[in-house]
Amino acid sequence: MRVLALLDGTLVDPEVPLLYADDPGVQRGDGIFETILVVERHPRELGPHLDRLERSARLMDLPLPERAGWQRAVQAVIDAWPWHTAPEMVLKLVCTRGADDSEQAPTGFAMGSEVSAGILRKRAEGVSAVTLERGYDPQLKDRAPWLLLSAKTLSYAVNMAALREADRRGADEVVFTATDGSVLEGPTSNVVLARGRTLLTTPPDSGILAGTTQAALFRAAEQAGWQARVESFPATELFHADGVWLVSSIRLISQVHTLDGIRLKADADLHTELTGLYESQY
Ligand code: PLP
């Protein structure tokens, strides 16, 4: 099931080609996107996702179409989705530069699809992960803005390759590490660890994507009396934590039960508590 809408709010047939063959988004991954969970017609964290789309566009000098267009497209997809048969929808917003000539306006669209079986399994059963080097230091982002660290660009080939490497090593997921051994993020998620009643995640300054799910979880946890800290920590900390999770919009709060082949503390009650805190906001 797929539902596709343009920024003027019109629905288009997802079977019909939409992009130009010379769109730099296709040829070079030169574009941006967001992935949003919609449950029973309610998009989660839509404002923060649209804010991040705008931030990504600014970082790569992409003239982003106005916010109202994205909101129209989101609404059109939500209105057309068969909620009675599929109560959750993965909503992708994509913006490319359009055709490879400066006259062409960017192309934007919103597409709804179903949550995959693989993601449902990760949510329910948790994941095994491996640490993999990402190859940059946590100070690089501000030194080298052309690397677009912290932008959500369409260039996810490296992230997908890392997931295939995890699969080759018999794991479901990846925790990227920086050259100083600190934890960065997953290829499509943020890393959260618990130490007592404190939650910890990596600062966006280190070049990772500022996660909307991590922010929502931390907001709820702080309201419930947890300490929530955003600071760098070494990958070795993961082995001693009271719990480790990979969090993102569609997989939600997935517990990591094994890292580099070593069983982690994966307390089921703690997992239920954090998932409950996150869900209590919606
Ligand atoms: N980091 C990366 C590289 C991602 O691709 C994602 C989401 O896909 C995240 C973190 C988590 O972001 P969010 O919680 O906003 O989905």
Side-chain angles (χ1 to χ4, degrees), residues 27-38:
Q27 295 200 346
R28 299 184 179 134
D30 194 359
I32 54 176
F33 76 107
E34 282 294 323
T35 307
I36 301 163
L37 181 67
V38 188

Side-chain angles (χ1 to χ4, degrees), residues 98-208:
D100 201 3
D101 87 46
S102 54
E103 302 297 301
Q104 185 62 39
T107 301
F109 60 88
M111 193 177 80
S113 60
E114 281 167 286
V115 180
S116 72
I119 290 282
L120 292 176
R121 187 175 51 79
K122 285 181 180 180
R123 276 190 201 168
E125 296 173 12
V127 294
S128 58
V130 288
T131 52
L132 294 181
E133 293 173 277
R134 189 64 181 79
Y136 65 81
D137 75 69
Q139 281 78 46
L140 184 62
K141 172 176 160 282
D142 291 336
R143 244 177 28 234
W146 58 90
L147 294 180
L148 301 178
L149 296 174
S150 82
K152 195 164 171 67
T153 77
L154 291 172
S155 310
Y156 262 49
V158 165
N159 304 42
M160 297 301 105
L163 285 171
R164 290 193 299 276
E165 178 63 23
D167 187 54
R168 274 192 287 276
R169 298 184 188 198
D172 306 309
E173 269 294 346
V174 173
V175 171
F176 279 133
T177 56
T179 48
D180 66 355
S182 62
V183 168
L184 290 170
E185 61 186 338
T188 61
S189 62
N190 291 106
V191 181
V192 171
L193 71 73
R195 205 193 288 135
R197 301 300 283 174
T198 300
L199 293 181
L200 198 64
T201 198
T202 306
D205 270 4
S206 58
I208 64 164

Side-chain angles (χ1 to χ4, degrees), residues 35 49 52 152 156 159 185-190 209 211-214 247-249:
T35 307
H49 279 289
R52 194 169 64 190
K152 195 164 171 67
Y156 262 49
N159 304 42
E185 61 186 338
T188 61
S189 62
N190 291 106
L209 200 67
T212 62
T213 315
Q214 170 269 315
V247 307
S248 65
S249 297

Side-chain angles (χ1 to χ4, degrees), residues 123 178 217 228 270:
R123 276 190 201 168
L217 172 64
L270 196 50

